[in-house]
């Protein structure tokens, strides 16, 4: 089996893929100090709970937190006896090179989403990823990454609002019943939900106008299903896009 690891700023996702489908998926908080041994004990217990005794043949890693990669490399080498593919390394084939400014570093997660989205939906795409940051990535007609937009993530904005304004509570993100709130929590929920709906609609409209051609908008990330309830601009929701991209990258580099 393939062990695909997607390290985000907040959470890390581990997924087992048997060559046809995802067999199991687990999530933990991203901790820079977590050791390879700790990862293995945690994974081993989760696998045992599902009755899994997989033979991991390969490991592929996407990480936006460089400090975590070292221990994941050790995990792969020590416990699965394989050298992992690390997205972003020069030797890893990702298809057409990004069309960005020279020396620009593109986040691994954005490159992986580009690979997965192009395979499933073709070119001329806008991929909106609701993560720690809310990112908008443009996928060209040939599948190349062509740049994008980075905005603060939903939960990051809520935390900043709570930290900066002593009278405002920390709230969960949800769709409010009405736009105009009649209490503090309802007002905040409306501002966050409809504010981000407006952000997504506005940025996607401007990207389409700048490109002057039809573009399909793909939503991914944990909150994508929630925000799809408030707008038609998110034409497809694919919460497994990053893992699909990692599976494809593993295949591309096995050939």
């Amino acid at each position: 089996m393939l062990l695909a690891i997607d390290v985000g700023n907040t959470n890390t996702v581990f997924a087992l893929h048997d060559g046809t489908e995802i067999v199991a998926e687990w999530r933990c908080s991203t901790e820079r100090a977590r050791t390879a041994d700790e990862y293995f004990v945690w994974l081993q217990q989760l696998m045992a709970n599902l009755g899994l005794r997989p033979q991991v043949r390969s490991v592929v890693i996407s990480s936006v937190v460089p400090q975590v990669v070292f221990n994941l490399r050790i995990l792969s080498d020590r416990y699965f006896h394989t050298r992992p593919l690390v997205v972003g390394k020069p030797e890893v084939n990702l298809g057409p090179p990004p069309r960005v400014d020279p020396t620009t570093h593109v986040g691994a997660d954005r490159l992986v989403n580009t690979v997965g989205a192009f395979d499933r939906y073709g070119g001329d795409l806008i991929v909106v990823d609701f993560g720690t940051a809310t990112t908008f990535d443009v996928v060209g007609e040939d599948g190349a990454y062509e740049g994008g937009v980075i905005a603060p993530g939903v939960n990051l904005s809520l935390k900043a609002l709570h930290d900066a304004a002593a009278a405002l509570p920390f709230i969960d993100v949800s769709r409010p019943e009405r736009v105009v709130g009649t209490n503090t929590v309802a007002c905040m929920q409306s501002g966050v939900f409809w504010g981000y709906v407006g952000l997504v609609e506005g940025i996607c409209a401007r990207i389409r106008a700048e490109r002057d051609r039809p573009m399909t908008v793909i939503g991914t990330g944990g909150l994508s299903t929630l925000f799809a309830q408030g707008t038609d601009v998110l034409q497809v929701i694919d919460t497994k896009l990053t893992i699909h991209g990692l599976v494809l990258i593993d295949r591309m580099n096995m050939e």
Side-chain angles (χ1 to χ4, degrees), residues 94-99 144-145:
L94 299 174
R99 288 193 278 272
Y145 175 83

Side-chain angles (χ1 to χ4, degrees), residues 11-184:
N11 293 313
T12 299
V13 176
F14 293 77
L16 280 175
H17 195 277
D18 66 1
T20 302
E21 62 183 359
I22 297 171
V23 175
E25 184 177 307
W26 305 282
R27 183 181 300 266
C28 67
S29 59
T30 299
E31 297 288 348
R32 291 166 172 79
R34 185 170 283 135
T35 68
D37 300 328
E38 288 172 320
Y39 279 122
F40 181 70
V41 169
W42 177 75
L43 278 171
Q44 187 181 48
Q45 184 61 57
L46 289 169
M47 291 177 186
N49 287 345
L50 294 178
L52 293 172
R53 296 181 179 275
Q55 295 295 317
V56 175
R57 63 165 180 82
S58 59
V59 176
V60 59
I61 301 168
S62 166
S63 177
V64 298
V65 184
Q67 301 92 327
V68 173
V69 175
F70 175 75
N71 280 312
L72 291 176
R73 283 182 177 274
I74 294 176
L75 169 72
S76 179
D77 179 66
R78 179 180 297 168
Y79 292 106
F80 301 123
H81 311 295
T82 184
R83 180 182 179 184
L85 284 175
V86 180
V87 175
K89 296 298 180 182
E91 68 272 14
V92 178
N93 177 22
L94 299 174
R99 288 193 278 272
V100 295
D101 295 341
T103 72
T104 296
H105 174 75
V106 181
D109 54 338
R110 306 175 84 179
L111 295 174
V112 172
N113 283 347
T114 295
V115 172
F118 180 68
D119 177 72
R120 283 185 165 167
Y121 310 107
D124 286 334
L125 306 175
I126 303 170
V127 179
V128 185
D129 191 347
F130 295 87
T132 303
T134 300
T135 58
F136 300 75
D137 296 314
V138 175
V139 182
E141 185 179 10
D142 62 346
Y145 175 83
E146 295 189 338
V149 176
I150 302 175
V154 179
N155 287 313
L156 191 63
S157 294
L158 280 172
K159 185 178 186 303
L161 189 61
H162 170 66
D163 289 346
L168 296 180
F170 189 80
I171 64 170
D172 292 328
V173 185
S174 63
R175 178 178 178 170
E177 294 182 5
R178 294 180 296 274
V179 175
V180 178
T182 54
N183 59 69
T184 301

